[in-house]
Amino acid sequence: NEWVYTEKLKEHFMNPKNILQGEDTDAFDGVGMEGNLSCGDQMMVVIKVDPAKEVITDCQWKTYGCASAIASTSVLSEMVKGMTLDQAFDVSPKDVTKELGGLPDNKIHCSVLGDKALRAAINDYFERNGMQDRIRKEQARIVCQCMNVTDAEIEDAVLEGARTF
Ligand code: FES
């Protein structure tokens, strides 16, 4: 495993986009929190939604995560603005990694953090608006092509204390 970061990753790490200022999330329509079991880092993603079109008009975030988590979520927050809630829900860590021009293998799990928090924020929006039937469950996703592991497997492995990567 090499620790090679792309220029785009470095740029988003140095100048992250859409960072949530302060603690107040009242102005937002959906809030999602997610913890990364493999490293203990945390992420909050908040969204504003145009209710008529179900389009994300703003996406902000903050994290205690690492450089890869910061860059991934910065890119993600740019990508999902203008998407419908369903389109944004389907954005995968792989899409984000691709947008970054790649991530070191042992950092793939970091890109899952923002993506999960975003889906939690979308579900929070549905919940707040009495749209329980629209709430979508997390599905196990393949987050690492080379090792063919899903995010669920990573979490299981960490919970069992068996670090396999
Ligand atoms: Fe925790 Fe990357 S090591 S988010």
Side-chain angles (χ1 to χ4, degrees):
N1 285 341
E2 278 187 69
W3 292 77
V4 178
Y5 292 113
T6 64
E7 285 306 314
K8 185 146 184 188
L9 187 148
K10 285 185 221 160
E11 180 193 311
H12 275 273
F13 173 59
M14 298 304 285
N15 297 297
K17 305 276 195 301
N18 308 313
I19 300 233
L20 175 67
Q21 305 295 334
E23 302 297 321
D24 192 1
T25 60
D26 286 356
F28 293 88
D29 305 314
V31 176
M33 291 282 286
E34 186 60 47
N36 196 330
L37 290 171
S38 42
C39 61
D41 288 325
Q42 278 193 311
M43 173 74 69
M44 174 160 62
V45 171
V46 294
I47 53 172
K48 282 186 191 170
V49 179
D50 172 345
K53 297 188 185 138
E54 291 197 353
V55 161
I56 294 178
T57 55
D58 196 8
C59 177
Q60 297 183 23
W61 55 279
K62 62 165 64 176
T63 188
Y64 299 111
C66 67
S68 297
I70 290 169
S72 303
T73 312
S74 174
V75 163
L76 175 73
S77 66
E78 291 282 272
M79 285 169 77
V80 300
K81 274 193 260 177
M83 284 188 183
T84 65
L85 294 171
D86 284 326
Q87 285 167 340
F89 202 98
D90 287 331
V91 171
S92 70
K94 209 175 131 201
D95 300 326
V96 174
T97 306
K98 202 170 148 199
E99 191 71 23
L100 278 173
L103 267 182
D105 290 346
N106 47 7
K107 291 268 116 185
I108 299 282
H109 70 274
C110 311
S111 67
V112 178
L113 199 52
D115 162 277
K116 280 191 150 182
L118 171 68
R119 292 198 297 277
I122 293 171
N123 280 338
D124 181 48
Y125 174 83
F126 289 141
E127 172 102 47
R128 290 185 194 198
N129 289 278
M131 301 157 86
Q132 264 70 11
D133 54 317
R134 296 285 303 283
I135 294 175
R136 289 169 62 182
K137 286 224 164 54
E138 284 285 340
Q139 278 172 357
R141 291 161 182 246
I142 294 187
V143 291
C144 178
Q145 291 295 317
C146 43
M147 292 188 273
N148 201 36
V149 290
T150 65
D151 53 354
E153 283 165 346
I154 290 174
E155 293 191 357
D156 287 349
V158 172
L159 284 174
E160 286 163 16
R163 284 181 170 269
T164 54
F165 57 95

